Amino acid sequence: MAPQLTLQAPLELPPQDVPSYLDSLWSKELAEAGGGAVTFTLVVWEPSWLEQQLIRIGRLDGPISGLLSDEVLEAARAAVGACGLPPFTAPSAPELTWALGSLPGHHSTEDLRGQFVDRAISAHQPRRLITLAPTLAADAPLETLVAAYCPLPEEQHGSRGEACGDVLVLRGGMGAVGKGLAMLQPLIPDDLPCWVWWNGSLDESPELLEGLATPPRRLVVDSSIGTPRRCLDLLVERIETGQSVNDLNWLRLRSWRESLAMVFDPPSRQGALSRVVQLDIDVEGNHPVKGLLLAAWIADRLGWHFQSSYLIPTGNPEGDGVGAEFQRTDGDSVQLRMMPVPVGAPKAHPGALVGLRLICAPEGQPPLCVILCSESGGCMRLESGGVATMQLVEELVPLPNESEEMEMARLLGGGHDTTNPLLAAAAPLAAKLLPQ
């Protein structure tokens, strides 16, 4: 987190006094500081349940920052075994947080959620940053904190000059934060774009999500956090209404899509794309959404028509696989097999991709097998099954190590007042691929 030039320390106010105080702030201190940013409002649902639980049981010291830092991920991975969960459990998986909640502990620390503006986000100079920070104590009363900030001089870009903003934090038990929503709505200016970043599980607090993310506000979610059916259905529902929706889980597929496109960039391979017969995808653990989104993107780009999907029993703790059949434009079929695989050190988010295999049977040429993997060990399973008789192309996919804040900053910088058309096409098909 970058330090910010704050015009005041965060001030705790009674909720009913917040609107008038903000009006006064902008008419006096911030007006004298050069005026406010004419940019956007960012509303962040930031429960940080994992970080709160790790601190409560003494596996982290704190303070509570709201960031999914390396320190939080390391402590979470170390806690998987202590909670009796399978080793493929991702550190940000909600089931780990639930398991931590059953362990004893009463350690407490300072809660700084929402009181700092991440450097990547502050570079876009939000006019108002609102953080909803529910606490583990369900009966905690609502607290409201207000602060003003201006970027440091060295963070200014060219002649843009100072552009100040304010920070508002609503902290308390779930019930108290929910009741604070009514006070919050008038504080979101109608004349500026508003982004709502649901930085938590899509299973929790659907009423609060519904109240916050009303169109035309732009919604940002992470479809790796929550039950797969709920994640995909929410994406489809919001896309169908025409609301701008962005998915951090989809953004993490960027390097996979780019790598696959580059493999088929040579003219000698382009014709093979119209003769795909089999698609295999391996994912970590039992959360298939990311793999389904990738399969749906491939099917949409190549004009395949969905026929059916079904579960593939495995008898393994990672869960069942997903099979599906598509029809190519020439009438031939394509088989999809997406399988959960065990991993010893899972990535930060559930359902990360391990590998992809695409088998093509071009006319008059030897069969072509393309394998992409996140690391060399992930290719081994996909190298079996008779691929030695085919022309083999293997590539390692460079995986970016960027925080949620960096991804969010990229969205803010790009505008995106509509849903990415590739995601809009892939999400409904991914929902069909997930067997009922």
Side-chain angles (χ1 to χ4, degrees), residues 348-396:
H349 302 89
L353 294 188
V354 176
L356 172 150
R357 179 172 66 185
L358 203 64
I359 297 178
C360 310
E363 275 191 84
Q365 299 179 37
L368 171 66
C369 177
V370 173
I371 297 178
L372 304 181
C373 353
S374 59
E375 52 194 39
S376 56
C379 291
M380 295 176 64
R381 197 189 80 85
L382 296 174
E383 289 169 348
S384 63
V387 301
T389 62
M390 306 178 187
Q391 179 189 353
L392 182 62
V393 178
E394 284 193 45
E395 298 284 346
L396 287 179

mmCIF file of all heavy atoms in Angstrom, residues 348-396:
data_model
loop_
_atom_site.group_PDB
_atom_site.id
_atom_site.type_symbol
_atom_site.label_atom_id
_atom_site.label_comp_id
_atom_site.label_asym_id
_atom_site.label_seq_id
_atom_site.Cartn_x
_atom_site.Cartn_y
_atom_site.Cartn_z
ATOM 1 N N ALA A 348 -3.912 -19.453 -5.378
ATOM 2 C CA ALA A 348 -4.644 -18.678 -4.376
ATOM 3 C C ALA A 348 -6.151 -18.872 -4.464
ATOM 4 O O ALA A 348 -6.839 -18.895 -3.443
ATOM 5 C CB ALA A 348 -4.298 -17.196 -4.511
ATOM 6 N N HIS A 349 -6.685 -19.032 -5.687
ATOM 7 C CA HIS A 349 -8.130 -19.074 -5.874
ATOM 8 C C HIS A 349 -8.584 -20.464 -6.303
ATOM 9 O O HIS A 349 -7.885 -21.151 -7.050
ATOM 10 C CB HIS A 349 -8.557 -18.035 -6.912
ATOM 11 C CG HIS A 349 -8.165 -16.637 -6.548
ATOM 12 N ND1 HIS A 349 -6.955 -16.090 -6.904
ATOM 13 C CD2 HIS A 349 -8.813 -15.680 -5.838
ATOM 14 C CE1 HIS A 349 -6.881 -14.854 -6.428
ATOM 15 N NE2 HIS A 349 -7.988 -14.585 -5.793
ATOM 16 N N PRO A 350 -9.761 -20.890 -5.873
ATOM 17 C CA PRO A 350 -10.261 -22.220 -6.232
ATOM 18 C C PRO A 350 -10.399 -22.393 -7.741
ATOM 19 O O PRO A 350 -10.728 -21.458 -8.469
ATOM 20 C CB PRO A 350 -11.629 -22.276 -5.544
ATOM 21 C CG PRO A 350 -11.556 -21.295 -4.427
ATOM 22 C CD PRO A 350 -10.671 -20.193 -4.933
ATOM 23 N N GLY A 351 -10.143 -23.649 -8.190
ATOM 24 C CA GLY A 351 -10.393 -23.989 -9.578
ATOM 25 C C GLY A 351 -9.386 -23.476 -10.576
ATOM 26 O O GLY A 351 -9.699 -23.354 -11.767
ATOM 27 N N ALA A 352 -8.158 -23.179 -10.134
ATOM 28 C CA ALA A 352 -7.141 -22.712 -11.077
ATOM 29 C C ALA A 352 -6.870 -23.780 -12.134
ATOM 30 O O ALA A 352 -6.983 -24.979 -11.881
ATOM 31 C CB ALA A 352 -5.849 -22.361 -10.341
ATOM 32 N N LEU A 353 -6.504 -23.345 -13.330
ATOM 33 C CA LEU A 353 -6.231 -24.275 -14.418
ATOM 34 C C LEU A 353 -4.868 -24.925 -14.244
ATOM 35 O O LEU A 353 -3.885 -24.255 -13.917
ATOM 36 C CB LEU A 353 -6.280 -23.556 -15.763
ATOM 37 C CG LEU A 353 -7.623 -23.002 -16.218
ATOM 38 C CD1 LEU A 353 -7.526 -22.501 -17.648
ATOM 39 C CD2 LEU A 353 -8.721 -24.030 -16.113
ATOM 40 N N VAL A 354 -4.821 -26.232 -14.472
ATOM 41 C CA VAL A 354 -3.564 -26.979 -14.450
ATOM 42 C C VAL A 354 -3.063 -27.200 -15.866
ATOM 43 O O VAL A 354 -1.874 -27.045 -16.152
ATOM 44 C CB VAL A 354 -3.741 -28.334 -13.725
ATOM 45 C CG1 VAL A 354 -2.456 -29.147 -13.783
ATOM 46 C CG2 VAL A 354 -4.191 -28.116 -12.290
ATOM 47 N N GLY A 355 -3.955 -27.582 -16.775
ATOM 48 C CA GLY A 355 -3.533 -27.835 -18.145
ATOM 49 C C GLY A 355 -4.700 -27.954 -19.095
ATOM 50 O O GLY A 355 -5.857 -28.111 -18.682
ATOM 51 N N LEU A 356 -4.391 -27.872 -20.367
ATOM 52 C CA LEU A 356 -5.392 -27.952 -21.437
ATOM 53 C C LEU A 356 -4.809 -28.778 -22.579
ATOM 54 O O LEU A 356 -3.632 -28.629 -22.918
ATOM 55 C CB LEU A 356 -5.759 -26.555 -21.915
ATOM 56 C CG LEU A 356 -6.651 -26.398 -23.144
ATOM 57 C CD1 LEU A 356 -7.478 -25.116 -23.022
ATOM 58 C CD2 LEU A 356 -5.836 -26.335 -24.445
ATOM 59 N N ARG A 357 -5.610 -29.649 -23.163
ATOM 60 C CA ARG A 357 -5.196 -30.423 -24.332
ATOM 61 C C ARG A 357 -6.253 -30.302 -25.419
ATOM 62 O O ARG A 357 -7.438 -30.534 -25.177
ATOM 63 C CB ARG A 357 -4.988 -31.891 -23.950
ATOM 64 C CG ARG A 357 -4.575 -32.771 -25.140
ATOM 65 C CD ARG A 357 -4.199 -34.169 -24.688
ATOM 66 N NE ARG A 357 -5.351 -34.893 -24.153
ATOM 67 C CZ ARG A 357 -5.270 -36.111 -23.604
ATOM 68 N NH1 ARG A 357 -4.090 -36.701 -23.492
ATOM 69 N NH2 ARG A 357 -6.355 -36.705 -23.164
ATOM 70 N N LEU A 358 -5.811 -29.962 -26.610
ATOM 71 C CA LEU A 358 -6.694 -29.809 -27.757
ATOM 72 C C LEU A 358 -6.194 -30.749 -28.854
ATOM 73 O O LEU A 358 -5.040 -30.653 -29.286
ATOM 74 C CB LEU A 358 -6.659 -28.356 -28.250
ATOM 75 C CG LEU A 358 -7.835 -27.817 -29.059
ATOM 76 C CD1 LEU A 358 -9.098 -27.809 -28.205
ATOM 77 C CD2 LEU A 358 -7.531 -26.397 -29.530
ATOM 78 N N ILE A 359 -7.032 -31.696 -29.279
ATOM 79 C CA ILE A 359 -6.652 -32.662 -30.309
ATOM 80 C C ILE A 359 -7.420 -32.347 -31.591
ATOM 81 O O ILE A 359 -8.658 -32.217 -31.577
ATOM 82 C CB ILE A 359 -6.931 -34.100 -29.848
ATOM 83 C CG1 ILE A 359 -6.072 -34.424 -28.619
ATOM 84 C CG2 ILE A 359 -6.650 -35.091 -30.959
ATOM 85 C CD1 ILE A 359 -6.313 -35.812 -28.044
ATOM 86 N N CYS A 360 -6.681 -32.206 -32.664
ATOM 87 C CA CYS A 360 -7.266 -31.866 -33.960
ATOM 88 C C CYS A 360 -6.944 -32.980 -34.959
ATOM 89 O O CYS A 360 -5.894 -33.619 -34.882
ATOM 90 C CB CYS A 360 -6.696 -30.550 -34.498
ATOM 91 S SG CYS A 360 -6.730 -29.173 -33.325
ATOM 92 N N ALA A 361 -7.847 -33.191 -35.901
ATOM 93 C CA ALA A 361 -7.653 -34.202 -36.950
ATOM 94 C C ALA A 361 -7.826 -33.548 -38.309
ATOM 95 O O ALA A 361 -8.834 -33.760 -39.000
ATOM 96 C CB ALA A 361 -8.642 -35.354 -36.764
ATOM 97 N N PRO A 362 -6.840 -32.741 -38.743
ATOM 98 C CA PRO A 362 -6.965 -32.058 -40.036
ATOM 99 C C PRO A 362 -6.880 -33.051 -41.197
ATOM 100 O O PRO A 362 -6.158 -34.044 -41.144
ATOM 101 C CB PRO A 362 -5.775 -31.094 -40.048
ATOM 102 C CG PRO A 362 -4.797 -31.684 -39.076
ATOM 103 C CD PRO A 362 -5.606 -32.396 -38.049
ATOM 104 N N GLU A 363 -7.637 -32.752 -42.257
ATOM 105 C CA GLU A 363 -7.681 -33.655 -43.415
ATOM 106 C C GLU A 363 -6.322 -33.694 -44.111
ATOM 107 O O GLU A 363 -5.690 -32.664 -44.346
ATOM 108 C CB GLU A 363 -8.749 -33.182 -44.404
ATOM 109 C CG GLU A 363 -10.147 -33.677 -44.094
ATOM 110 C CD GLU A 363 -11.090 -33.390 -45.237
ATOM 111 O OE1 GLU A 363 -11.151 -34.180 -46.196
ATOM 112 O OE2 GLU A 363 -11.777 -32.348 -45.158
ATOM 113 N N GLY A 364 -5.871 -34.914 -44.404
ATOM 114 C CA GLY A 364 -4.642 -35.079 -45.156
ATOM 115 C C GLY A 364 -3.382 -34.790 -44.380
ATOM 116 O O GLY A 364 -2.294 -34.694 -44.967
ATOM 117 N N GLN A 365 -3.487 -34.603 -43.052
ATOM 118 C CA GLN A 365 -2.322 -34.314 -42.226
ATOM 119 C C GLN A 365 -2.362 -35.197 -40.989
ATOM 120 O O GLN A 365 -3.430 -35.688 -40.597
ATOM 121 C CB GLN A 365 -2.299 -32.838 -41.794
ATOM 122 C CG GLN A 365 -2.238 -31.846 -42.940
ATOM 123 C CD GLN A 365 -2.235 -30.415 -42.417
ATOM 124 O OE1 GLN A 365 -1.634 -30.125 -41.386
ATOM 125 N NE2 GLN A 365 -2.914 -29.530 -43.146
ATOM 126 N N PRO A 366 -1.195 -35.394 -40.327
ATOM 127 C CA PRO A 366 -1.195 -36.148 -39.073
ATOM 128 C C PRO A 366 -2.008 -35.416 -38.009
ATOM 129 O O PRO A 366 -2.118 -34.181 -38.039
ATOM 130 C CB PRO A 366 0.293 -36.204 -38.695
ATOM 131 C CG PRO A 366 1.038 -35.863 -39.942
ATOM 132 C CD PRO A 366 0.144 -34.968 -40.729
ATOM 133 N N PRO A 367 -2.624 -36.146 -37.073
ATOM 134 C CA PRO A 367 -3.340 -35.487 -35.972
ATOM 135 C C PRO A 367 -2.410 -34.543 -35.198
ATOM 136 O O PRO A 367 -1.214 -34.802 -35.060
ATOM 137 C CB PRO A 367 -3.797 -36.655 -35.092
ATOM 138 C CG PRO A 367 -3.796 -37.839 -35.996
ATOM 139 C CD PRO A 367 -2.689 -37.609 -36.981
ATOM 140 N N LEU A 368 -2.985 -33.464 -34.728
ATOM 141 C CA LEU A 368 -2.233 -32.437 -33.984
ATOM 142 C C LEU A 368 -2.719 -32.419 -32.542
ATOM 143 O O LEU A 368 -3.930 -32.369 -32.290
ATOM 144 C CB LEU A 368 -2.420 -31.068 -34.630
ATOM 145 C CG LEU A 368 -1.885 -29.861 -33.858
ATOM 146 C CD1 LEU A 368 -0.365 -29.915 -33.762
ATOM 147 C CD2 LEU A 368 -2.340 -28.545 -34.512
ATOM 148 N N CYS A 369 -1.795 -32.445 -31.593
ATOM 149 C CA CYS A 369 -2.126 -32.367 -30.177
ATOM 150 C C CYS A 369 -1.428 -31.155 -29.579
ATOM 151 O O CYS A 369 -0.198 -31.061 -29.599
ATOM 152 C CB CYS A 369 -1.694 -33.640 -29.441
ATOM 153 S SG CYS A 369 -2.004 -33.589 -27.658
ATOM 154 N N VAL A 370 -2.207 -30.237 -29.037
ATOM 155 C CA VAL A 370 -1.677 -29.031 -28.398
ATOM 156 C C VAL A 370 -1.919 -29.141 -26.900
ATOM 157 O O VAL A 370 -3.057 -29.367 -26.464
ATOM 158 C CB VAL A 370 -2.345 -27.757 -28.958
ATOM 159 C CG1 VAL A 370 -1.917 -26.528 -28.163
ATOM 160 C CG2 VAL A 370 -2.014 -27.590 -30.432
ATOM 161 N N ILE A 371 -0.856 -28.996 -26.118
ATOM 162 C CA ILE A 371 -0.958 -29.073 -24.657
ATOM 163 C C ILE A 371 -0.410 -27.781 -24.063
ATOM 164 O O ILE A 371 0.727 -27.384 -24.344
ATOM 165 C CB ILE A 371 -0.180 -30.282 -24.089
ATOM 166 C CG1 ILE A 371 -0.784 -31.588 -24.606
ATOM 167 C CG2 ILE A 371 -0.190 -30.259 -22.563
ATOM 168 C CD1 ILE A 371 -0.049 -32.832 -24.130
ATOM 169 N N LEU A 372 -1.222 -27.139 -23.262
ATOM 170 C CA LEU A 372 -0.794 -25.974 -22.487
ATOM 171 C C LEU A 372 -0.846 -26.343 -21.009
ATOM 172 O O LEU A 372 -1.801 -26.980 -20.569
ATOM 173 C CB LEU A 372 -1.707 -24.768 -22.742
ATOM 174 C CG LEU A 372 -1.905 -24.294 -24.186
ATOM 175 C CD1 LEU A 372 -2.819 -23.065 -24.202
ATOM 176 C CD2 LEU A 372 -0.572 -23.956 -24.833
ATOM 177 N N CYS A 373 0.153 -25.945 -20.249
ATOM 178 C CA CYS A 373 0.155 -26.238 -18.812
ATOM 179 C C CYS A 373 0.677 -25.047 -18.025
ATOM 180 O O CYS A 373 1.441 -24.225 -18.537
ATOM 181 C CB CYS A 373 1.000 -27.451 -18.459
ATOM 182 S SG CYS A 373 1.636 -28.369 -19.806
ATOM 183 N N SER A 374 0.233 -24.964 -16.777
ATOM 184 C CA SER A 374 0.679 -23.880 -15.907
ATOM 185 C C SER A 374 2.080 -24.128 -15.378
ATOM 186 O O SER A 374 2.777 -23.200 -14.982
ATOM 187 C CB SER A 374 -0.296 -23.703 -14.739
ATOM 188 O OG SER A 374 -0.393 -24.905 -13.992
ATOM 189 N N GLU A 375 2.510 -25.390 -15.337
ATOM 190 C CA GLU A 375 3.870 -25.752 -14.941
ATOM 191 C C GLU A 375 4.184 -27.103 -15.564
ATOM 192 O O GLU A 375 3.281 -27.856 -15.946
ATOM 193 C CB GLU A 375 4.003 -25.805 -13.425
ATOM 194 C CG GLU A 375 2.957 -26.666 -12.740
ATOM 195 C CD GLU A 375 2.902 -26.448 -11.237
ATOM 196 O OE1 GLU A 375 3.045 -25.292 -10.798
ATOM 197 O OE2 GLU A 375 2.736 -27.447 -10.531
ATOM 198 N N SER A 376 5.467 -27.417 -15.651
ATOM 199 C CA SER A 376 5.866 -28.607 -16.400
ATOM 200 C C SER A 376 5.243 -29.879 -15.847
ATOM 201 O O SER A 376 4.861 -30.778 -16.606
ATOM 202 C CB SER A 376 7.390 -28.737 -16.406
ATOM 203 O OG SER A 376 7.899 -28.763 -15.084
ATOM 204 N N GLY A 377 5.105 -29.989 -14.535
ATOM 205 C CA GLY A 377 4.515 -31.198 -13.952
ATOM 206 C C GLY A 377 3.060 -31.384 -14.334
ATOM 207 O O GLY A 377 2.558 -32.510 -14.362
ATOM 208 N N GLY A 378 2.366 -30.277 -14.639
ATOM 209 C CA GLY A 378 0.956 -30.370 -14.984
ATOM 210 C C GLY A 378 0.695 -30.987 -16.344
ATOM 211 O O GLY A 378 -0.434 -31.349 -16.670
ATOM 212 N N CYS A 379 1.747 -31.111 -17.171
ATOM 213 C CA CYS A 379 1.572 -31.671 -18.508
ATOM 214 C C CYS A 379 1.522 -33.194 -18.497
ATOM 215 O O CYS A 379 1.066 -33.806 -19.469
ATOM 216 C CB CYS A 379 2.717 -31.234 -19.416
ATOM 217 S SG CYS A 379 2.724 -29.481 -19.819
ATOM 218 N N MET A 380 2.003 -33.812 -17.434
ATOM 219 C CA MET A 380 2.248 -35.257 -17.469
ATOM 220 C C MET A 380 0.976 -36.047 -17.748
ATOM 221 O O MET A 380 0.968 -36.959 -18.565
ATOM 222 C CB MET A 380 2.902 -35.709 -16.163
ATOM 223 C CG MET A 380 4.293 -35.121 -15.963
ATOM 224 S SD MET A 380 5.008 -35.556 -14.382
ATOM 225 C CE MET A 380 5.141 -37.338 -14.565
ATOM 226 N N ARG A 381 -0.130 -35.753 -17.081
ATOM 227 C CA ARG A 381 -1.363 -36.514 -17.288
ATOM 228 C C ARG A 381 -1.888 -36.332 -18.700
ATOM 229 O O ARG A 381 -2.395 -37.265 -19.329
ATOM 230 C CB ARG A 381 -2.418 -36.094 -16.267
ATOM 231 C CG ARG A 381 -3.568 -37.086 -16.139
ATOM 232 C CD ARG A 381 -4.691 -36.529 -15.271
ATOM 233 N NE ARG A 381 -5.537 -35.620 -16.015
ATOM 234 C CZ ARG A 381 -6.569 -36.020 -16.768
ATOM 235 N NH1 ARG A 381 -6.848 -37.291 -16.888
ATOM 236 N NH2 ARG A 381 -7.302 -35.134 -17.419
ATOM 237 N N LEU A 382 -1.756 -35.112 -19.228
ATOM 238 C CA LEU A 382 -2.281 -34.819 -20.554
ATOM 239 C C LEU A 382 -1.412 -35.409 -21.661
ATOM 240 O O LEU A 382 -1.841 -35.481 -22.816
ATOM 241 C CB LEU A 382 -2.410 -33.309 -20.739
ATOM 242 C CG LEU A 382 -3.411 -32.611 -19.808
ATOM 243 C CD1 LEU A 382 -3.339 -31.102 -19.981
ATOM 244 C CD2 LEU A 382 -4.831 -33.117 -20.059
ATOM 245 N N GLU A 383 -0.178 -35.805 -21.333
ATOM 246 C CA GLU A 383 0.703 -36.399 -22.332
ATOM 247 C C GLU A 383 0.381 -37.879 -22.580
ATOM 248 O O GLU A 383 0.969 -38.493 -23.467
ATOM 249 C CB GLU A 383 2.164 -36.266 -21.896
ATOM 250 C CG GLU A 383 2.680 -34.828 -21.959
ATOM 251 C CD GLU A 383 4.021 -34.676 -21.273
ATOM 252 O OE1 GLU A 383 4.429 -35.628 -20.566
ATOM 253 O OE2 GLU A 383 4.652 -33.618 -21.429
ATOM 254 N N SER A 384 -0.520 -38.446 -21.792
ATOM 255 C CA SER A 384 -0.868 -39.855 -21.957
ATOM 256 C C SER A 384 -2.015 -39.999 -22.954
ATOM 257 O O SER A 384 -2.545 -39.016 -23.461
ATOM 258 C CB SER A 384 -1.267 -40.452 -20.605
ATOM 259 O OG SER A 384 -2.434 -39.809 -20.108
ATOM 260 N N GLY A 385 -2.400 -41.246 -23.229
ATOM 261 C CA GLY A 385 -3.567 -41.475 -24.076
ATOM 262 C C GLY A 385 -3.278 -41.472 -25.556
ATOM 263 O O GLY A 385 -4.105 -41.033 -26.364
ATOM 264 N N GLY A 386 -2.098 -41.913 -25.951
ATOM 265 C CA GLY A 386 -1.808 -42.085 -27.366
ATOM 266 C C GLY A 386 -1.350 -40.847 -28.092
ATOM 267 O O GLY A 386 -1.285 -40.843 -29.329
ATOM 268 N N VAL A 387 -1.000 -39.774 -27.392
ATOM 269 C CA VAL A 387 -0.596 -38.550 -28.089
ATOM 270 C C VAL A 387 0.787 -38.694 -28.715
ATOM 271 O O VAL A 387 1.196 -37.851 -29.519
ATOM 272 C CB VAL A 387 -0.622 -37.332 -27.138
ATOM 273 C CG1 VAL A 387 -2.003 -37.129 -26.568
ATOM 274 C CG2 VAL A 387 0.421 -37.466 -26.038
ATOM 275 N N ALA A 388 1.533 -39.747 -28.359
ATOM 276 C CA ALA A 388 2.862 -39.932 -28.937
ATOM 277 C C ALA A 388 2.797 -40.147 -30.447
ATOM 278 O O ALA A 388 3.776 -39.926 -31.158
ATOM 279 C CB ALA A 388 3.562 -41.112 -28.273
ATOM 280 N N THR A 389 1.651 -40.569 -30.957
ATOM 281 C CA THR A 389 1.505 -40.799 -32.402
ATOM 282 C C THR A 389 1.106 -39.523 -33.137
ATOM 283 O O THR A 389 0.918 -39.563 -34.360
ATOM 284 C CB THR A 389 0.444 -41.873 -32.655
ATOM 285 O OG1 THR A 389 -0.821 -41.418 -32.164
ATOM 286 C CG2 THR A 389 0.816 -43.172 -31.952
ATOM 287 N N MET A 390 0.964 -38.424 -32.431
ATOM 288 C CA MET A 390 0.497 -37.182 -33.040
ATOM 289 C C MET A 390 1.624 -36.148 -33.095
ATOM 290 O O MET A 390 2.620 -36.244 -32.366
ATOM 291 C CB MET A 390 -0.661 -36.594 -32.230
ATOM 292 C CG MET A 390 -1.820 -37.553 -32.008
ATOM 293 S SD MET A 390 -3.109 -36.787 -30.993
ATOM 294 C CE MET A 390 -4.199 -38.199 -30.722
ATOM 295 N N GLN A 391 1.429 -35.134 -33.939
ATOM 296 C CA GLN A 391 2.301 -33.975 -33.878
ATOM 297 C C GLN A 391 2.002 -33.246 -32.576
ATOM 298 O O GLN A 391 0.865 -32.852 -32.317
ATOM 299 C CB GLN A 391 2.054 -33.048 -35.068
ATOM 300 C CG GLN A 391 2.919 -31.796 -35.054
ATOM 301 C CD GLN A 391 2.500 -30.794 -36.112
ATOM 302 O OE1 GLN A 391 1.647 -31.083 -36.947
ATOM 303 N NE2 GLN A 391 3.103 -29.622 -36.075
ATOM 304 N N LEU A 392 3.023 -33.071 -31.739
ATOM 305 C CA LEU A 392 2.805 -32.561 -30.383
ATOM 306 C C LEU A 392 3.388 -31.164 -30.239
ATOM 307 O O LEU A 392 4.540 -30.912 -30.599
ATOM 308 C CB LEU A 392 3.452 -33.505 -29.362
ATOM 309 C CG LEU A 392 3.281 -33.138 -27.885
ATOM 310 C CD1 LEU A 392 1.808 -33.137 -27.488
ATOM 311 C CD2 LEU A 392 4.058 -34.125 -27.003
ATOM 312 N N VAL A 393 2.565 -30.255 -29.719
ATOM 313 C CA VAL A 393 3.009 -28.891 -29.402
ATOM 314 C C VAL A 393 2.710 -28.645 -27.928
ATOM 315 O O VAL A 393 1.557 -28.734 -27.500
ATOM 316 C CB VAL A 393 2.282 -27.837 -30.275
ATOM 317 C CG1 VAL A 393 2.736 -26.441 -29.891
ATOM 318 C CG2 VAL A 393 2.504 -28.105 -31.749
ATOM 319 N N GLU A 394 3.744 -28.367 -27.154
ATOM 320 C CA GLU A 394 3.571 -28.103 -25.718
ATOM 321 C C GLU A 394 4.073 -26.712 -25.391
ATOM 322 O O GLU A 394 5.118 -26.289 -25.875
ATOM 323 C CB GLU A 394 4.339 -29.128 -24.876
ATOM 324 C CG GLU A 394 3.675 -30.483 -24.797
ATOM 325 C CD GLU A 394 4.303 -31.360 -23.715
ATOM 326 O OE1 GLU A 394 4.526 -30.851 -22.607
ATOM 327 O OE2 GLU A 394 4.562 -32.540 -23.992
ATOM 328 N N GLU A 395 3.308 -26.011 -24.563
ATOM 329 C CA GLU A 395 3.696 -24.666 -24.141
ATOM 330 C C GLU A 395 3.371 -24.495 -22.661
ATOM 331 O O GLU A 395 2.349 -24.993 -22.180
ATOM 332 C CB GLU A 395 2.938 -23.593 -24.943
ATOM 333 C CG GLU A 395 3.204 -23.591 -26.433
ATOM 334 C CD GLU A 395 4.549 -22.995 -26.789
ATOM 335 O OE1 GLU A 395 5.165 -22.343 -25.901
ATOM 336 O OE2 GLU A 395 4.986 -23.179 -27.942
ATOM 337 N N LEU A 396 4.252 -23.783 -21.952
ATOM 338 C CA LEU A 396 3.952 -23.371 -20.581
ATOM 339 C C LEU A 396 3.287 -22.001 -20.626
ATOM 340 O O LEU A 396 3.730 -21.108 -21.349
ATOM 341 C CB LEU A 396 5.227 -23.294 -19.734
ATOM 342 C CG LEU A 396 5.862 -24.620 -19.330
ATOM 343 C CD1 LEU A 396 7.119 -24.368 -18.511
ATOM 344 C CD2 LEU A 396 4.883 -25.460 -18.523
#
